[in-house]
Amino acid sequence: MTGFTHEASVATTTLSEITKVREALSADRIFACFAYATQSGFRAFELGVGEQFWKTTKSRWLFGIDYGRTDPRALREIAKCANSEVRIFDGRYVVEAEGFLPRRDFHAKVMLVENVASGAQGLVLGSGNFSYNGLLRSVEAGWATVATTKKEIDRDILPVSSSFEALWKAACPLGEIIDPYETRLAELIGSRDTKRVVKSKGQMSAFWIEAGHVTKNRGTDRPGNQIFAPSGFRRFFGLNKAKSGSTLIGTITFETSVGPMVTKNYRENDNAMEKLTLPFPEQHGFGVYDGKVMIFQPSANGFLTSAIEFDEFEAVYGHRLTNVKTMSGGRRFGELI
């Protein structure tokens, strides 16, 4: 049994402990239970375990959708992976509740792993949720153990696994609620946007766009750094349409709180959208861009750039949003005053 905290100096994280326990057992089955899931969490996990994980490991995932904190796009990503099954805690009730208010909060952060042939089992539990911050970045703590004998399993694993197996049996298959959940969540967010200022007399201080799914333009083993923006988004950066015969709209210099300034190309794309190439996320303190909200604030040298989770964005900047628009795929963008 080992306690751990997220410690950058020795690269100890919730994800590193999950990997350590899986490798110690050569595990081929996992059962993951988390209060909520984000696209950044899915991408961080996928990068951490490697692309072969889904082919060699049978996985079950139990999530909550309490308060609408879980990103439905993350649930869909996990569900479409090979050998995976996703269920939602009390999903039939919560999806119909106003504001997705649960009758009992699902607040677990548990990963159970097993080697089916040997019977050995492992457990990692802690404070970190299934998000990039929870798995890798935030100040978190937890506990990990490996059990290879019946005595160890009965003592260290069974008290946890038996409870969550019961919750799994009672949980709702994702397919039953994902469509209404996605629709109702979009309606809830949209209702907030319609109450916000449509046209502000104040000066725009920054602008933003939801990154959504980020292409794997750097390969499957590194986080992507290109997102698509709607046609005309270039105007926020003070750029004009690309010249005839060229896709290059211009260049953008990004400032970040970590790492040096970086200048990247901004191009037209063949899908009638614009392609925004960002700094490498792992070199600038962002880890991954998937599912995050990108914020750009004009500065003397370029654009001060940040990337934060949706909930954090709403909590910090929600009162400053104006001129919010939604793209055909559901991603939003707008201004900050």
Side-chain angles (χ1 to χ4, degrees):
M1 295 181 286
T2 305
F4 67 88
T5 59
H6 281 201
E7 190 65 54
S9 62
V10 292
T12 299
T13 64
T14 299
L15 185 54
S16 74
E17 291 302 302
I18 291 171
T19 300
K20 187 186 298 182
V21 171
R22 282 185 56 246
E23 291 178 348
L25 297 179
S26 297
D28 51 11
R29 182 180 293 175
I30 72 163
F31 179 24
C33 309
F34 288 92
Y36 67 83
T38 67
Q39 287 180 286
S40 70
F42 170 72
R43 185 64 66 227
F45 181 82
E46 189 176 54
L47 289 168
V49 299
E51 60 180 342
Q52 291 299 312
F53 169 84
W54 304 105
K55 299 176 183 179
T56 61
T57 308
K58 183 177 181 180
S59 62
R60 292 181 295 153
W61 303 83
L62 181 61
F63 290 113
I65 56 170
D66 303 352
Y67 312 104
R69 290 173 179 160
T70 285
D71 190 331
R73 293 166 294 190
L75 298 177
R76 290 189 184 278
E77 289 273 12
I78 297 169
K80 73 180 183 182
C81 292
N83 301 308
S84 66
E85 182 181 358
V86 180
R87 294 187 185 181
I88 305 300
F89 175 79
D90 205 16
R92 298 182 186 91
Y93 175 86
V94 178
V95 77
E96 297 294 337
E98 183 176 0
F100 306 106
L101 182 69
R103 48 188 168 186
R104 183 187 184 193
D105 285 23
F106 186 68
H107 210 245
K109 294 95 175 178
V110 174
M111 178 74 76
L112 291 148
V113 305
E114 180 183 4
N115 181 302
V116 177
S118 70
Q121 298 180 32
L123 169 65
V124 180
L125 53 81
S127 60
N129 248 308
F130 200 71
S131 65
Y132 173 80
N133 287 343
L135 292 176
L136 290 168
R137 185 176 182 273
S138 299
V139 177
E140 308 283 359
W143 177 80
T145 191
V146 170
T148 58
T149 67
K150 184 179 185 303
K151 180 180 179 181
E152 291 172 340
I153 292 171
D154 290 346
R155 181 190 65 203
D156 300 333
I157 308 294
L158 195 59
V160 177
S161 64
S162 59
S163 294
F164 282 95
E165 287 291 350
L167 294 178
W168 173 263
K169 290 178 181 178
C172 172
L174 178 65
E176 290 188 21
I177 60 93
I178 186 59
D179 288 342
Y181 176 57
E182 194 164 44
T183 299
R184 291 199 63 223
L185 183 60
E187 290 172 349
L188 179 61
I189 295 170
S191 69
R192 296 172 187 162
D193 289 342
T194 58
K195 297 174 184 177
R196 286 164 171 149
V197 178
V198 176
K199 188 174 183 181
S200 172
K201 296 180 181 179
Q203 184 177 2
M204 182 188 74
S205 63
F207 54 96
W208 57 275
I209 185 171
E210 294 177 346
H213 173 79
V214 180
T215 60
K216 298 179 181 179
N217 61 297
R218 302 171 64 209
T220 58
D221 60 340
R222 292 185 294 179
N225 72 320
Q226 291 181 341
I227 65 173
F228 293 108
S231 179
F233 194 75
R234 62 182 180 275
R235 299 187 188 96
F236 284 120
F237 293 105
L239 299 173
N240 297 316
K241 190 175 177 62
K243 294 180 180 179
S244 178
S246 173
T247 61
L248 180 63
I249 295 173
T251 60
I252 302 169
T253 298
F254 300 98
E255 288 186 79
T256 58
S257 59
V258 176
M261 289 190 296
V262 175
T263 299
K264 296 287 187 179
N265 288 334
Y266 191 68
R267 294 185 176 275
E268 291 182 347
N269 200 62
D270 57 11
N271 62 356
M273 300 188 77
E274 297 170 357
K275 184 186 294 182
L276 177 59
T277 301
L278 300 162
F280 295 151
E282 74 278 18
Q283 296 179 7
H284 292 266
F286 303 131
V288 298
Y289 291 126
D290 299 74
K292 295 185 178 181
V293 181
M294 305 299 308
I295 305 170
F296 307 99
Q297 180 179 350
S299 67
N301 298 311
F303 293 87
L304 184 62
T305 303
S306 56
I308 63 176
E309 297 285 0
F310 174 79
D311 280 354
E312 297 164 359
F313 176 74
E314 287 288 327
V316 175
Y317 298 105
H319 66 293
R320 293 173 53 193
L321 303 190
T322 184
N323 296 330
V324 179
K325 295 179 174 61
T326 303
M327 290 176 271
S328 59
R331 289 190 295 132
R332 299 151 64 235
F333 65 98
E335 303 171 8
L336 295 179
I337 55 174

